[in-house]
Amino acid sequence: MKKILFVCTSNADRSPALEKYFREFYPEHKYKSAGINNFHCARKGNHYIEQADIDWADVLIFCEQIHQEIVFRNFSFYDEANPTKKKSGLILGLGEYEKGNINDNYLLKAKDKLKTILES
């Protein structure tokens, strides 16, 4: 079982949609989602990423490269069990999406990209 954290901008569209989708198709793992923009998360009542989320996760999945850059800059990214090793992360980089509507094509591309992580 892996603990997977999905990270996007405001935890409104992509990361919660990914969390829900993968929970359904890979129920043997645990999932959470968070946003990197405190202003937008607070305004929308969504979860803003915290150090505890990163500590909890085995793998972090970033919707875009900027999400990873902000997390690396603002949080400790080391594995507590092995302090010399950084936790693994993957940037999805799936491109455009329609706000408020993450379509099946987006989710299928994500599934294809994450398949090896989730099935290992």
Side-chain angles (χ1 to χ4, degrees), residues 27-47:
E28 65 274 19
H29 302 296
K30 292 188 178 188
Y31 305 93
K32 287 185 181 181
S33 62
I36 55 140
N37 186 303
N38 193 19
F39 173 79
H40 290 296
C41 286
R43 196 178 100 223
K44 296 176 182 183
N46 298 335
H47 181 66

Side-chain angles (χ1 to χ4, degrees), residues 2 11 19 23 29 32-33 37 47 50-51 54 58 60-61 66 73 77 79 82-83 85 98 102 104 110 115 118:
K2 291 185 173 105
N11 197 33
E19 177 185 1
R23 183 176 283 126
H29 302 296
K32 287 185 181 181
S33 62
N37 186 303
H47 181 66
E50 301 171 343
Q51 185 65 51
I54 296 164
D58 296 318
L60 288 93
I61 308 298
I66 188 68
R73 187 177 15 181
F77 207 70
D79 188 337
N82 184 358
K85 180 182 173 199
E98 183 181 333
I102 302 301
D104 289 342
K115 196 172 189 172
L118 296 169

Side-chain angles (χ1 to χ4, degrees), residues 2 4 18 21 28 33 35 46 57-58 62 71 88 108 111:
K2 291 185 173 105
I4 298 166
L18 291 163
Y21 179 82
E28 65 274 19
S33 62
N46 298 335
D58 296 318
F62 303 98
V71 169
S88 62
L108 290 172
K111 185 177 181 183

Side-chain angles (χ1 to χ4, degrees), residues 6-21 33-35 40-41 44 46-47 63-64 67 92 96-103 106-107:
F6 293 102
V7 181
C8 70
T9 302
S10 63
N11 197 33
D13 291 322
R14 293 171 290 182
S15 57
L18 291 163
E19 177 185 1
K20 180 181 176 187
Y21 179 82
S33 62
H40 290 296
C41 286
K44 296 176 182 183
N46 298 335
H47 181 66
C63 291
E64 299 174 31
H67 302 137
L92 287 177
E96 293 297 315
Y97 70 100
E98 183 181 333
K99 286 190 183 267
N101 180 27
I102 302 301
N103 64 33
Y106 187 93
L107 296 170

